[in-house]
Amino acid sequence: MTSELLDRALIEEAAKKSGLIWVRGTGGPAARALWHVWHEGAVCLVGDGPGEQPLAGLADGGSAEVTVRSKDKGGRLVTFPATVTELAPGSAEWEATVAELKGKRLNAPDGEEMPARWSRECRVLRLTPAGSVVPLPAGSLAEAPVPTPATTRMPIPAGLPRLLAKRRKKERRG
């Protein structure tokens, strides 16, 4: 029982402090980085709508593997299995969860109208820890990046290195 309580405490503390988690749903694509909030004993997510994060592979009643990273170094802190629950829009639990998520959503295009849009177009999920913490792996778990339509920038302008060198020189003098 003590080990289970320590696992829960580790999961909760890590999830509260990290703004980003890695989630792999059952049968879903590779693990994805998702922003979240820790609310009432679970990781809470919003997504699958226009302008929101994709929640591919996460289905109501399914399971997921959640990895929480360190906020400062970005390294893996803890990995745990979770049960996925989709909250019904308008329910008391949905309202409380959305209030927490709304406070953490950065750069929202619609501000105060966000909960209404989430209700119409998005899914709100709770990932409740289920089981003990997964041991840290011995080797690398690096995977190929998820395909994306994003492209890289053009080559840097020829004069940029000189400009940066001048700026560094001024900083050293001042």
Side-chain angles (χ1 to χ4, degrees):
M1 184 59 122
T2 304
S3 175
E4 186 178 313
L5 290 174
L6 289 173
D7 284 353
R8 291 285 176 156
L10 174 62
I11 291 168
E12 181 174 351
E13 195 62 27
K16 280 181 178 178
K17 292 190 181 218
S18 180
L20 186 70
I21 57 174
W22 291 87
V23 179
R24 178 193 315 268
T26 305
R32 289 188 175 268
L34 303 172
W35 69 271
H36 73 287
V37 295
W38 179 265
H39 179 64
E40 295 181 358
V43 168
C44 299
L45 309 166
V46 64
D48 278 353
E52 299 297 342
Q53 60 193 355
L55 301 176
L58 299 176
D60 190 27
S63 60
E65 184 178 76
V66 179
T67 300
V68 183
R69 71 178 183 106
S70 165
K71 190 171 187 172
D72 58 345
K73 302 282 184 183
R76 173 191 314 258
L77 288 177
V78 64
T79 300
F80 61 93
T83 303
V84 180
T85 307
E86 186 168 346
L87 303 179
S91 68
E93 191 176 25
W94 186 89
E95 295 289 342
T97 302
V98 164
E100 291 293 319
L101 286 164
K102 182 181 171 191
K104 296 290 183 176
R105 174 65 164 92
L106 301 176
N107 304 321
D110 49 0
E112 293 302 314
E113 298 301 316
M114 198 168 22
R117 178 174 56 86
W118 286 351
S119 176
R120 287 187 317 272
E121 303 170 356
C122 297
R123 296 189 307 145
V124 176
L125 305 178
R126 282 178 55 85
L127 278 58
T128 309
S132 58
V133 170
V134 177
L136 292 175
S140 170
L141 296 178
E143 293 185 24
V146 177
T148 176
T151 60
T152 57
R153 298 181 308 151
M154 303 295 277
I156 63 169
L160 186 60
R162 280 194 314 267
L163 180 66
L164 293 175
K166 284 181 186 177
R167 185 176 294 163
R168 276 189 229 119
K169 201 179 222 181
K170 284 182 184 178
E171 288 173 0
R172 276 187 248 150
R173 278 191 262 156

